[in-house]
Amino acid sequence: MAVSDQPIGRESLDDLLRRLRPRLKQVLSRYRVPAHDAEDLIQEALISTIQKWDTIQDTEAWLLVTLRNRCVVYWRKRRNNVYNSVDTAILELLSEPVTAPQERQELLWDLNQLLGELPERCRKLLQLRYGLGYDSAEVAEQMGYHPSSVRKVARRCMAALTHQMVAHGFAPGDPGDID
């Protein structure tokens, strides 16, 4: 007689996956997760489920909610990667040395044009942070923000600048082609 590791009345993980596969796919499609990343998110959710298996009351609900949370985190990371790449591109544009003074002037002119389309508080924050090199505490003092909120406001301003760059034809990885 074989003894199961599963508690009495609980279905196995394989049975649960087989039964939930259509609903898992539905969650992934609702969050528009690319197929090449979908399986990784399912595996992460399964690992989390297995780790908590003995304490979970409703494994179906747990797995679906965990997958939804993984999808949210996935898109948050992707969005932050875009902002960080723009952040890096801006710092590279402003850093020394640039191959030719004329090229630097053109890049700064393009960047200033894009910044001119942003709200005043974003222009000021980005100028203080990246143009003058102020840290978060100094930016907060200059703009009247609480120091802990500067990062959130800066991220929103970077998002606005990113949208401006994309609208004007900026291609990630090619900071020289802004217009």
Side-chain angles (χ1 to χ4, degrees):
M1 173 184 207
V3 177
S4 172
D5 291 336
Q6 300 297 326
I8 297 173
R10 302 266 311 243
E11 66 185 321
S12 73
L13 188 59
D14 289 336
D15 294 339
L16 178 68
L17 272 176
R18 208 171 292 115
R19 188 169 54 81
L20 289 181
R21 180 64 69 176
R23 291 184 67 193
L24 295 172
K25 286 182 179 180
Q26 184 180 26
V27 169
L28 292 167
S29 68
R30 184 178 312 131
Y31 283 94
R32 296 184 179 144
V33 175
H36 63 276
D37 292 329
E39 194 63 35
D40 291 340
L41 293 178
I42 289 174
Q43 288 178 7
E44 289 176 16
L46 285 172
I47 290 170
S48 179
T49 302
I50 291 168
Q51 290 173 340
K52 303 281 186 174
W53 188 264
D54 293 331
T55 60
I56 299 172
Q57 293 178 3
D58 184 353
T59 52
E60 178 179 327
W62 172 275
L63 185 57
L64 290 170
V65 169
T66 301
L67 182 59
R68 285 185 197 119
N69 291 340
R70 297 291 176 181
C71 290
V72 168
V73 169
Y74 169 81
W75 283 113
R76 190 173 294 149
K77 284 180 182 176
R78 294 273 305 255
R79 183 183 65 229
N80 288 341
N81 286 343
V82 170
Y83 298 158
N84 290 337
S85 68
V86 170
D87 193 12
T88 302
I90 289 173
L91 291 175
E92 288 175 2
L93 289 174
L94 298 174
S95 68
E96 292 290 338
V98 173
T99 54
Q102 181 180 359
E103 183 179 344
R104 177 176 168 78
Q105 288 301 94
E106 290 173 4
L107 291 174
L108 287 173
W109 186 85
D110 288 338
L111 185 58
N112 284 328
Q113 291 295 107
L114 293 172
L115 286 170
E117 297 178 25
L118 296 178
E120 176 62 30
R121 75 179 182 129
C122 285
R123 284 195 306 264
K124 185 174 180 181
L125 187 141
L126 293 173
Q127 179 63 29
L128 290 172
R129 183 76 179 99
Y130 301 105
L132 300 174
Y134 285 25
D135 65 15
S136 294
E138 293 169 323
V139 170
E141 183 180 323
Q142 288 288 324
M143 295 188 68
Y145 290 131
H146 190 275
S148 63
S149 67
V150 170
R151 184 174 175 201
K152 182 186 258 184
V153 175
R155 188 153 308 275
R156 287 183 185 149
C157 292
M158 289 301 297
L161 181 60
T162 301
H163 289 291
Q164 288 296 330
M165 293 174 86
V166 170
H168 287 82
F170 171 76
D174 191 10
D177 292 336
I178 294 178
D179 7 301

